[in-house]
Amino acid sequence: MDVIVPKIDAFMRRQGLVFDEQSLLVACSGGADSVALLVALARMYPGVRIGCAHFEHGLRGDASLADMAFVRETAGRLGIPFHTASAEAGTIVGRAVNLEAEARRQRYRFLESTAEREGYDWIALGHTADDQVETVVYKIFRGASLSALAGMPAVRGRIIRPLIGCRRREIEAWLTGLGYAWHEDASNRDCRFRRNALRQNILPLIEQSFPDLRTRILALAGDAASENRDLPRLLKAFGIETREEPGPAVSWDWARLVAAPHSLVLRLVAARFSTQADSGSLPRKGWYRALEGWLEADRRRGGTLYHGAAGILALHKGRLFCHPPRATAYESRVSGMHPVVDGGVLGFPWGEIRSDLVSVPAGMGRNFFQAQAAQGIFWIDASVLLQSPVLRAVHAPDRLHVSAGSRQFVADLLSGAGVPGPWRASTLVLAGETGCDAVFVPALPHLGRIGATVMLGAESRQALRLEVVQRRIGKTGEP
């Protein structure tokens, strides 16, 4: 009896997915789950453009190459275009946990770039109900938040998981009945990897006493997912809106967070962390208690609350900012002097700074320039700017003219603004002949500061317009 195709069809209908004019890229490792997904979708949608993507991690030598050849052959048997890439030698290394995370990062980066380059609308992954059980239990063991107990979402962005309602044993029986083979990855039996230990040893042991464990865990995940779907409505009731920021990042109005039930705020931040952390969850013990303390105290002073694998949480100017993880481009200190000229573009690991001499827009007041600064665009009075300005790294003695007759150490400004320590390395100052005229924080462009001596005044006619342009510093990781 065919149980796989009806379950996939039900999944598609439930999610409202129609593929008449859309295309699918199927991620296939060569294992039973992903081979079944590739075969099922090819049989279900003969007129739809479907592609097969395989990422070769380079971790198992000839076995990895054999998997790639097998997936290529399977795709050819189905008449499906095959896309592949291999990890660069030496880029996936380290201890088991870190190795898993880096392999996952590179695999998802390959899938996204392939879909973008080849024009596929959706990326289909072969995660099953058993994978969902393992994910939820793994998160419980790691001390995940309530939001994270929903496990892997059925749909996130362009990623879909059509097999999320299918059991592994059903899939293998279905493939065998159709005469399709698959490859077993020997590394899946290596219990140095936590997920493997969970699958091979821990879950079977628990099931000896609780035979319906998997059913109950899936029900728990479903309940948590329902709670997550209800979260936007609850946030709206308390006037909490998520604002997109450069980076990409998001922010929330701190006063509204303080006024709302703190349990709701903790769920909001936990859900955000869950979507952007590699593991899909993170231990609560650090940031959770700290954020609760800040909310209860109605903290007003800026600062960094959390900086770790899930991202960065910082309070600044009445907003709580949440930034994605892995912003390593911002942790390298800038070297040398970079002259700022009209029409110039200065490149850095994190992006670039563009400079132009322009006329000051007529009729634009303070609000316009403040809004521009919030987007990482800064206007400086060119008539009073010292000759031959340069952008360079922060030096210990650097001080900024914050008001008439008042100067403040740049290091103190960064600390007070809650800029995480590692990100201060890439901070730039606009320096002239006598000192520091402006400060730019590439990781957090909205934190840029213009010195009082070079601010636009009522008589300003020409301005140096500096724009901080970031590359995307993080990618949502999938569990």
Side-chain angles (χ1 to χ4, degrees):
M1 179 180 177
D2 188 345
V3 296
I4 301 303
V5 168
K7 285 187 175 183
I8 293 178
D9 183 62
F11 170 90
M12 298 300 188
R13 292 176 184 276
R14 190 164 54 249
Q15 301 299 331
L17 298 173
V18 180
F19 297 107
D20 292 343
E21 297 181 359
Q22 294 185 311
S23 53
L24 280 161
L25 180 66
V26 183
C28 186
S29 65
D33 303 339
S34 58
V35 170
L37 181 61
L38 186 66
V39 172
L41 294 176
R43 291 163 66 92
M44 293 174 65
Y45 305 111
V48 172
R49 179 172 172 249
I50 296 176
C52 173
H54 176 84
F55 187 70
E56 194 272 303
H57 298 91
L59 295 174
R60 296 181 294 115
D62 291 341
S64 289
L65 298 177
D67 286 347
M68 181 169 63
F70 168 73
V71 176
R72 185 193 303 272
E73 179 184 347
T74 303
R77 176 179 173 183
L78 295 167
I80 292 176
F82 178 69
H83 310 280
T84 189
S86 298
E88 293 184 19
T91 59
I92 303 180
V93 295
R95 294 185 298 109
V97 175
N98 294 334
L99 186 146
E100 279 187 300
E102 181 58 28
R104 185 186 305 114
R105 267 198 293 270
Q106 293 198 26
R107 182 169 64 252
Y108 277 92
R109 190 181 304 128
F110 159 70
L111 292 172
E112 289 283 357
S113 63
T114 301
E116 192 70 29
R117 184 183 66 250
E118 302 294 336
Y120 289 102
D121 298 301
W122 299 93
I123 299 172
L125 306 182
H127 292 123
T128 67
D130 294 282
D131 293 316
Q132 183 74 299
V133 169
E134 293 163 11
T135 297
V136 174
V137 174
Y138 182 68
K139 290 181 177 186
I140 292 172
F141 287 166
R142 294 193 68 234
S145 65
L146 293 175
S147 298
L149 297 184
M152 298 178 288
V155 178
R156 177 184 288 162
R158 72 166 80 187
I159 291 177
I160 61 175
R161 295 182 168 90
L163 295 179
I164 201 69
C166 302
R167 294 293 302 273
R168 194 170 288 135
R169 61 172 181 265
E170 295 175 326
I171 291 169
E172 293 179 355
W174 183 76
L175 273 182
T176 300
L178 291 177
Y180 280 90
W182 63 88
H183 277 200
E184 295 284 358
D185 184 345
S187 66
N188 285 340
R189 296 189 293 273
D190 186 349
C191 289
R192 290 179 302 165
F193 298 98
R194 292 176 181 174
R195 288 291 290 261
N196 292 346
L198 188 64
R199 181 185 307 117
Q200 302 290 338
N201 300 328
I202 300 172
L203 283 175
L205 180 62
I206 298 175
E207 286 178 298
Q208 290 178 15
S209 299
F210 301 93
D212 59 349
L213 173 71
R214 292 176 187 268
T215 300
R216 293 183 179 276
I217 291 295
L218 290 172
L220 172 65
D223 291 344
S226 296
E227 291 287 332
N228 289 348
R229 285 192 294 270
D230 200 39
L231 185 59
R233 180 185 63 81
L234 295 174
L235 295 172
K236 185 176 181 180
F238 288 94
I240 299 173
E241 296 181 352
T242 299
R243 188 172 79 187
E244 297 292 329
E245 304 285 356
V250 297
S251 73
W252 304 281
D253 182 273
W254 179 247
R256 291 191 180 276
L257 296 182
V258 170
H262 295 173
S263 60
L264 180 64
V265 178
L266 294 170
R267 281 180 59 194
L268 167 64
V269 177
R272 178 67 188 183
F273 274 160
S274 181
T275 64
Q276 67 184 32
D278 273 334
S279 61
S281 66
L282 74 163
R284 289 171 31 170
K285 50 191 175 185
W287 71 270
Y288 202 95
R289 287 199 295 265
L291 177 56
E292 196 169 30
W294 282 22
L295 289 166
E296 291 175 354
D298 188 9
R299 179 182 171 115
R300 302 299 176 89
R301 184 168 56 87
T304 302
L305 185 145
Y306 171 84
H307 182 197
I312 291 178
L313 204 59
L315 180 62
H316 175 69
K317 290 187 176 180
R319 297 195 71 83
L320 184 67
F321 289 82
C322 186
H323 300 270
R326 303 188 307 279
T328 54
Y330 294 123
E331 298 178 6
S332 300
R333 183 173 175 81
V334 176
S335 60
M337 301 285 187
H338 303 269
V340 177
V341 298
D342 183 22
V345 178
L346 297 172
F348 300 95
W350 46 264
E352 60 191 28
I353 290 184
R354 302 169 184 171
S355 56
D356 295 283
L357 284 172
V358 297
S359 298
V360 177
M364 296 297 180
R366 180 184 181 91
N367 289 344
F368 168 78
F369 295 108
Q370 286 182 338
Q372 289 270 285
Q375 301 173 42
I377 302 172
F378 303 92
W379 298 70
I380 298 170
D381 192 336
S383 65
V384 297
L385 189 65
L386 296 173
Q387 284 190 329
S388 305
V390 296
L391 285 167
R392 60 163 173 79
V394 178
H395 296 163
D398 282 336
R399 292 193 291 176
L400 181 71
H401 292 271
V402 293
S403 62
S406 176
R407 301 172 73 189
Q408 185 174 5
F409 283 108
V410 172
D412 292 340
L413 283 173
L414 298 176
S415 177
V419 179
W423 285 7
R424 297 179 198 177
S426 62
T427 297
L428 295 159
V429 296
L430 181 70
E433 295 175 354
T434 62
C436 175
D437 292 320
V439 179
F440 304 103
V441 184
L444 313 168
H446 59 279
L447 298 188
R449 296 286 296 274
I450 303 299
T453 56
V454 295
M455 283 184 178
L456 292 178
E459 304 302 318
S460 301
R461 294 290 179 266
Q462 192 173 42
L464 174 65
R465 182 182 182 275
L466 291 176
E467 181 178 5
V468 180
V469 181
Q470 298 171 313
R471 299 187 183 95
R472 290 182 70 84
I473 61 175
K475 194 73 175 175
T476 298
E478 292 284 338

